[in-house]
Amino acid sequence: MIDLTGIELIVIGGSAGGIKAITEVLKPLPKDFPVPIVIVLHRLKNVPSTLQSVIQYHTLLLVKEADEKETIKPRCAYIAPANYHLLIEKDKTFALDYSEVVKYSRPSIDITFECVANVYGNKALGILLTGANSDGASGLLLMKLKGAKCYAQDPKSAEVSTMPQSAIDIGATDELIALNRIGLLLKQAALKIS
Amino acid sequence: MAEAERYVIGEVEVERIIEVIFNKRGIDFSGYSRASFSRRIQRITDRDSNGDFEIIVQRVSEDKLYFDQFLKEVTVNVTEMFRDPSFFLAIRKKVLPELGHHHKIRLWHAACSTGEEVYSMATLLHESNLLERSVIYGTDLNSDVLKKAKNGVYSAKNIREYTTNYQRSGGSGNFSDYYQAAYGNAVFKEFFRKNMVFSEHNLVTDGSFNEFNLIMCRNVLIYFQKPLQSRVIRIFKESLAPGGFLCLGSKESLMFADDHDAFEEVDATQKIYRKKLVV
């Protein structure tokens, strides 16, 4: 069960199979979904990207790439741009960073999750989706240690189970949710707080 | 738990190290964005002192040799050749024909790090027959990375990716004609370096030093807070000839700069601007 009481930010990470998974999560959400969502997917670099429009096609919620120094606002799903790490400043604005890859990845899910942990503490909710490496697991654990609510896609429902399983293995998750339930539960939880 | 203990760098530590660096070493990081800077300090602390921040403070204060290493790590020096090939394609199509009108072409790569973009640009100029009459300045606050830029020796393991990027950027030649392979490295040929000048310059404290037809400064402003971004754009404005081009990173903009009115867009997506003829 997902409870959004007191939650100021939702952060979602994914890799292999992640685009399909994230569209499924966002599909049921209304355009006035009250909690900002930050999405970090491993993606191709150095090619023109259509990820924003691909995801936007499937949801009423506004989808945009995060810009540097942009203030994080509700009723929007932000995607980490290709070939940058997505960081968050104390004043809840985005920062971009083109530093070394972490776990072969830029954007790194771990880095964004760590920032969310440090800035939002127990007012955050994290979800780790399908993926073929362990990026995101240690970031999710830090979120959990700071009091955030932490979920993983049930590996049984994942296209590639390595990523959610890594989070489970280190004890970073409170609960597992099947992919086709995540969006629905978020939608219901939003109704309760509005 | 080990994972949580890794995070010893908070706001207090970041402000303290910035003060120590300024007082002892005269380099000002106060205008840097904190989230990224804080990660750099954390990374250095993990690596050099096993998480003991006090040791880092002490070594930065007392050990000049250590500080030189520290300086190289605290700023981000990651770069690649032909990053965002579509940007370089736009340079070929929209900018080089304009630059070709000049008898002498002066270009400035500000905060060029190890120089990969300097060589990328030199490749484009060469293929447009403009390199001979160009002078390319590469500057950085860090002398070590400039040495690497001056040598033009890059790891061969990245060359395959750079070759793909080169081709996507509209390169029709044989990229391998431009370097010699040696001991796991690609050594860029001497003719590139003939018209390159590398020197130390800190965008935080130094000013304009010449007049340029093009300034490239990609993925540097992202590390700066708004007032510092504005200061840097002013330096660029003062350093550009009328009609001179300014190239920023794909997620950067002039939005936070006081002088944004002095520029017009050439290619909004590729972040190519041009200083207005009359400012």
Side-chain angles (χ1 to χ4, degrees):
Chain A
M1 205 39 62
I2 291 178
D3 181 359
L4 289 175
T5 311
I7 297 297
E8 292 179 8
L9 187 88
I10 296 168
V11 63
I12 304 174
S15 186
I19 298 176
K20 198 157 156 253
I22 197 71
T23 56
E24 190 146 347
V25 170
L26 298 184
K27 203 175 283 179
L29 303 186
K31 77 172 193 290
D32 61 349
F33 187 77
V35 186
I37 300 176
V38 175
I39 298 159
V40 185
L41 295 177
H42 294 162
R43 50 192 295 196
L44 292 175
K45 60 171 190 168
N46 286 321
V47 288
S49 172
T50 55
L51 185 59
Q52 182 272 337
S53 51
V54 167
I55 298 176
Q56 184 67 80
Y57 181 79
H58 293 277
T59 179
L60 294 169
L61 185 63
L62 175 69
V63 178
K64 78 179 289 293
E65 270 199 357
D67 279 312
E68 70 126 4
K69 297 186 175 46
E70 179 173 14
T71 301
I72 300 173
K73 289 181 177 156
R75 293 176 286 283
C76 188
Y78 300 92
I79 327 170
N83 212 3
Y84 290 97
H85 295 308
L86 181 63
L87 284 65
I88 299 174
E89 301 281 356
K90 289 269 179 253
D91 65 358
K92 296 171 184 173
T93 58
F94 287 117
L96 298 175
D97 173 317
Y98 178 45
S99 60
E100 296 78 0
V101 295
V102 175
K103 289 182 185 158
Y104 310 100
S105 307
R106 186 173 52 227
S108 151
I109 302 169
D110 274 335
I111 289 180
T112 305
F113 280 17
E114 286 164 11
C115 288
V116 170
N118 289 327
V119 173
Y120 288 87
N122 65 1
K123 296 185 172 65
L125 186 152
I127 306 171
L128 200 52
L129 301 174
T130 169
N133 79 357
S134 67
D135 188 18
S138 71
L140 194 67
L141 180 60
L142 187 72
M143 285 180 63
K144 192 169 177 219
L145 295 172
K146 300 259 184 174
K149 293 175 179 156
C150 297
Y151 302 90
Q153 173 179 355
D154 187 334
K156 290 200 288 286
S157 72
E159 204 168 311
V160 185
S161 62
T162 311
M163 190 171 275
Q165 191 60 49
S166 304
I168 297 161
D169 290 346
I170 60 168
T173 54
D174 295 313
E175 206 178 316
L176 307 179
I177 311 175
L179 178 62
N180 61 8
R181 301 264 302 145
I182 298 174
L184 215 60
L185 291 173
L186 285 172
K187 184 185 172 187
Q188 287 168 357
L191 288 173
K192 278 188 197 149
I193 58 163
S194 56
Chain B
M1 198 175 279
E3 283 289 339
E5 278 171 10
R6 259 184 60 221
Y7 301 89
V8 298
I9 305 301
E11 278 169 279
V12 177
E13 289 75 19
V14 168
E15 299 314 317
R16 181 149 163 244
I17 196 81
I18 287 173
E19 197 182 315
V20 169
I21 297 168
F22 185 69
N23 289 338
K24 301 278 182 178
R25 303 289 165 196
I27 299 178
D28 184 5
F29 285 104
S30 64
Y32 276 57
S33 297
R34 294 301 192 264
S36 176
F37 194 80
S38 164
R39 277 199 72 241
R40 304 308 288 176
I41 301 294
Q42 181 69 58
R43 180 184 149 94
I44 292 169
T45 309
D46 288 343
R47 196 195 58 183
D48 294 355
S49 68
N50 209 9
D52 189 338
F53 177 66
E54 290 307 317
I55 293 179
I56 300 297
V57 172
Q58 192 186 351
R59 294 185 75 183
V60 162
S61 311
E62 294 168 10
D63 185 344
K64 172 75 172 79
L65 279 177
Y66 176 76
F67 180 70
D68 290 343
Q69 274 306 114
F70 173 93
L71 187 60
K72 201 163 70 175
E73 288 294 322
V74 81
T75 53
V76 174
N77 284 304
V78 177
T79 174
E80 60 191 289
M81 289 193 82
F82 301 100
R83 179 188 165 133
D84 306 321
S86 51
F87 162 80
F88 285 95
L89 186 62
I91 292 285
R92 282 185 202 269
K93 287 188 171 161
K94 297 180 180 173
V95 175
L96 294 188
E98 297 281 328
L99 291 183
H101 296 145
H102 298 283
H103 176 63
K104 191 91 193 164
I105 307 164
R106 275 192 292 270
L107 307 94
W108 177 19
H109 288 254
C112 69
S113 184
T114 43
E116 280 84 337
E117 287 203 338
V118 182
Y119 286 85
S120 305
M121 191 67 196
T123 305
L124 265 59
L125 290 166
H126 171 69
E127 293 184 349
S128 304
N129 294 315
L130 298 175
L131 185 59
E132 287 284 309
R133 49 191 163 111
S134 302
V135 185
I136 314 178
Y137 292 79
T139 64
D140 202 277
L141 66 93
N142 194 299
S143 59
D144 273 7
V145 293
L146 288 174
K147 269 179 221 153
K148 197 160 179 221
K150 209 174 285 183
N151 291 334
V153 179
Y154 301 113
S155 172
K157 72 176 182 349
N158 297 323
I159 284 290
R160 185 197 296 251
E161 188 185 349
Y162 293 169
T163 305
T164 310
N165 285 354
Y166 162 77
Q167 288 159 349
R168 284 183 179 145
S169 81
S172 53
N174 233 332
F175 191 55
S176 59
D177 289 345
Y178 296 140
Y179 60 85
Q180 268 155 348
Y183 306 106
N185 287 319
V187 185
F188 278 79
K189 290 191 175 166
E190 191 56 38
F191 75 87
F192 281 118
R193 274 181 290 283
K194 249 181 21 197
N195 300 331
M196 289 180 184
V197 182
F198 292 99
S199 70
E200 278 182 55
H201 181 278
N202 186 346
L203 290 167
V204 178
T205 40
D206 298 329
S208 173
F209 61 95
N210 208 332
E211 189 177 82
F212 296 97
N213 307 106
L214 181 145
I215 296 175
M216 196 178 289
C217 184
R218 302 177 72 220
N219 300 307
V220 177
L221 295 181
I222 48 174
Y223 302 114
F224 297 164
Q225 295 176 344
K226 290 176 189 173
L228 183 53
Q229 285 196 358
S230 197
R231 175 194 145 78
V232 171
I233 295 299
R234 174 148 302 171
I235 297 172
F236 293 161
K237 185 189 85 176
E238 289 166 354
S239 307
L240 278 171
F245 294 93
L246 174 63
C247 308
L248 303 178
S250 62
K251 297 299 286 181
E252 295 170 326
S253 76
L254 296 172
M255 197 161 46
F256 309 120
D258 296 335
D259 291 329
H260 62 91
D261 278 346
F263 297 88
E264 57 195 20
E265 281 174 352
V266 175
D267 187 323
T269 312
Q270 303 305 337
K271 302 298 160 79
I272 302 172
Y273 304 89
R274 188 166 200 183
K275 185 175 158 183
K276 290 177 182 168
L277 292 174
V278 182
V279 177

